Amino acid sequence: MPLSRRRFLRNMSMTGAAVRIGLPPLAAMFNSNGTAYAATGADAAVQPRFVFWFNGNGIPERYWIPREIGVDYELTPCLAPLASVRDDVHVVSGIDNPNARVTAPGNTHHKSMSALVSGTPYTGRGAGGASIDQVIAGEMRGESRFRSLQVGVCQESHGENIHRNLSWAGADRALPPEMIPHNLFDRLFGVRDQSWISRKKSVLDAVRADLASLEPSLGQPDRHRLDEHLTSVREVERAIASLPSDYGKKIKEPEDVADLTDYPRIAKIQSDLVAHALASGQTRVVSYMLTKCQSLVRLPWLGYTRLRHHDYTHTNADSPEGQRTMRDICRWHVEEFAYFIGRLKSIPEGSGTLLDNTCVVFAHEHAEANPHKDNGLALILAGHAGGMKTGKHSKMRHTIGDLYLTVAEEVFKLPLEKGFPTAEKKISGVV
């Protein structure tokens, strides 16, 4: 029996708070061609998603950028974690960020970040225009609960708006990321009462009746898939419950040398929650800020506790030891990215997977970190939305605006009437 693509499990918690559990993509939602039953016309095909993924500072180019061009490139030490999803990513290098070099207030991180996300110069207060994720979200059609979601991981109290925000609705209009897993869970599932806060009960308890009425209409494969989905929700609950009781109540100062927060653990919880949001159709656009611009995060899980990330980029950064340190830090970034891509790939949707219907762009505000390079940026495109070409490394002589324009118009089929700042022409070879 056909099932609406927008179906949710619903009920009220013990205190009357609304509970809303998004369903995963089930076979009953799609016909044999992978087309959603609940949609018609232009919305009939599975709707693509966009994720803008960011890490602060830059990279060690010798350990990040492959020497070979094309499909036979060798994964570099920084990109080694991508081995399991190699065929799902397109490594891009050589991208220029010209508006990072125009005369504007602030340091090179301020200017590079504004130009990276919006293509516009830094205003002295924030980005000079809407960020690419918000441009795409504004052009998309179709229903979703959230127009977009902003998600973060590393709580870093330093800096200004341009450091702390990846998404911008317009000039100087920041959309802050949610960095606390508890709060992101509550936003997605609609639960905020004492039984949930104290973790004495599961959010799933409130939707048992709705689940019982749904299951008889599902075939055995869909029942199995639903069980996996609900188990995953419960695992996220348990992961959040296992965090320190005071997590998120006090942001650590950059000078706090005792900050031993296990951010890889937080990152995986946030990635799981984003995957749930995308799979259940709660949103089609997400910005994900693993670390902040000019990141000052400490990295005890890598054994680096003497300095902060940004300090390492400028402390004997060109020495063999300094380059190896940057290699290890950036490899951790890619590990978290690979985990997220793997989660999207593990979720069936229609005739393929969630990753088949998603485009992910991974960027930093600089290329080589120490000199703050704004040309030769290295990015990663992941997913197969719109027929994206993957499994290769390309060196491109284009601007970041060219890349974003190509993603918007060729991947998502969203003609941008006003174009995009610094965009001159679309890039061949992306789709």
Side-chain angles (χ1 to χ4, degrees):
M1 184 175 68
L3 184 67
S4 168
R5 179 69 177 87
R6 301 180 181 89
R7 174 71 188 272
F8 286 82
L9 298 178
R10 305 169 186 265
N11 213 317
M12 305 294 286
S13 68
M14 292 184 64
T15 60
V19 176
R20 183 181 181 124
I21 306 294
L23 291 179
L26 301 174
M29 296 174 176
F30 302 91
N31 62 26
S32 59
N33 297 319
T35 301
Y37 281 119
T40 58
D43 291 331
V46 177
Q47 296 178 336
R49 285 74 149 197
F50 177 66
V51 179
F52 191 28
W53 180 290
F54 175 82
N55 276 117
N57 295 317
I59 62 172
E61 292 179 342
R62 73 180 68 176
Y63 289 124
W64 176 285
I65 301 176
R67 295 181 180 180
E68 304 84 6
I69 304 297
V71 298
D72 295 324
Y73 74 95
E74 182 179 352
L75 285 172
T76 57
C78 285
L79 300 183
L82 295 174
S84 63
V85 293
R86 178 191 177 107
D87 293 339
D88 304 297
V89 302
H90 183 178
V91 180
V92 175
S93 60
I95 298 294
D96 190 24
N97 190 14
N99 270 345
R101 296 187 293 274
V102 302
T103 301
N107 64 29
T108 56
H109 289 277
H110 295 80
K111 293 185 282 189
S112 297
M113 187 65 170
S114 176
L116 174 74
V117 301
S118 69
T120 59
Y122 178 55
T123 67
R125 296 175 299 278
S131 53
I132 181 59
D133 60 304
Q134 292 306 299
V135 171
I136 290 176
E139 294 290 335
M140 279 186 171
R141 300 294 181 264
E143 294 181 17
S144 61
R145 186 181 177 197
F146 302 108
R147 182 175 180 269
S148 64
L149 288 175
Q150 293 72 47
V151 179
V153 174
C154 297
Q155 298 182 67
E156 304 176 64
S157 62
H158 76 282
E160 304 169 37
N161 277 341
I162 198 64
H163 293 99
R164 297 190 296 269
N165 296 290
L166 181 61
S167 289
W168 297 81
D172 299 331
R173 294 167 56 200
L175 299 172
E178 179 52 71
M179 296 179 290
I180 311 302
H182 312 64
N183 295 344
L184 182 58
F185 188 101
D186 288 347
R187 189 174 184 198
L188 295 179
F189 297 107
V191 176
R192 184 176 291 279
D193 60 33
Q194 190 56 44
S195 65
W196 161 239
I197 293 172
S198 63
R199 306 300 188 261
K200 294 179 180 179
K201 292 191 176 183
S202 169
V203 65
L204 302 178
D205 294 337
V207 297
R208 295 295 180 190
D210 197 14
L211 177 61
S213 67
L214 170 67
E215 284 186 325
S217 66
L218 301 179
Q220 190 59 39
D222 274 350
R223 292 188 187 188
H224 177 69
R225 191 172 299 172
L226 179 60
D227 181 68
E228 288 183 333
H229 173 71
L230 298 178
T231 298
S232 178
V233 172
R234 186 61 182 136
E235 288 174 351
V236 172
E237 280 188 314
R238 291 192 177 104
I240 295 174
S242 70
L243 296 176
S245 58
D246 62 345
Y247 186 77
K249 296 180 180 179
K250 179 182 179 182
I251 295 179
K252 303 292 181 64
E253 296 296 330
E255 293 74 19
D256 186 355
V257 297
D259 183 8
L260 301 179
T261 304
D262 185 359
Y263 283 123
R265 184 179 174 192
I266 306 301
K268 290 178 176 60
I269 295 174
Q270 297 290 71
S271 291
D272 288 343
L273 287 170
V274 169
H276 278 294
L278 293 171
S280 61
Q282 297 206 49
T283 190
R284 295 172 60 196
V285 177
V286 176
S287 65
Y288 191 109
M289 208 170 192
L290 182 61
T291 64
K292 291 185 170 61
C293 172
Q294 197 174 345
S295 173
L296 298 182
V297 69
R298 296 186 182 276
L299 305 122
W301 58 91
L302 297 177
Y304 295 125
T305 57
R306 183 172 63 91
L307 299 173
R308 304 164 298 185
H309 182 191
H310 183 257
D311 301 330
Y312 281 119
T313 68
H314 298 303
T315 303
N316 299 319
D318 293 328
S319 68
E321 180 185 4
Q323 284 284 291
R324 287 193 295 270
T325 299
M326 285 297 297
R327 174 200 65 192
D328 294 347
I329 293 172
C330 289
R331 182 165 55 201
W332 168 62
H333 296 160
V334 178
E335 285 175 1
E336 299 304 338
F337 181 74
Y339 175 84
F340 177 67
I341 298 304
R343 286 288 288 117
L344 301 185
K345 190 175 181 178
S346 71
I347 300 174
E349 181 171 78
S351 58
T353 71
L354 179 56
L355 185 61
D356 291 331
N357 302 307
T358 302
C359 168
V360 188
V361 176
F362 176 8
H364 302 78
E365 78 261 32
H366 291 133
E368 186 71 40
N370 187 29
H372 291 176
K373 277 185 63 179
D374 292 308
N375 61 326
L377 294 181
L379 300 94
I380 302 175
L381 308 180
H384 305 283
M388 293 169 61
K389 289 187 176 181
T390 55
K392 64 177 183 175
H393 166 226
S394 300
K395 192 166 187 176
M396 301 177 174
R397 301 300 183 189
H398 288 272
T399 67
I400 194 70
D402 293 336
L403 182 63
Y404 293 161
L405 181 67
T406 304
V407 167
E409 296 197 346
E410 297 299 316
V411 175
F412 291 98
K413 313 303 181 187
L414 301 173
L416 302 184
E417 294 182 2
K418 298 181 180 179
F420 194 86
T422 74
E424 297 180 356
K425 60 180 179 180
K426 289 186 283 189
I427 304 172
S428 62
V430 173
V431 299

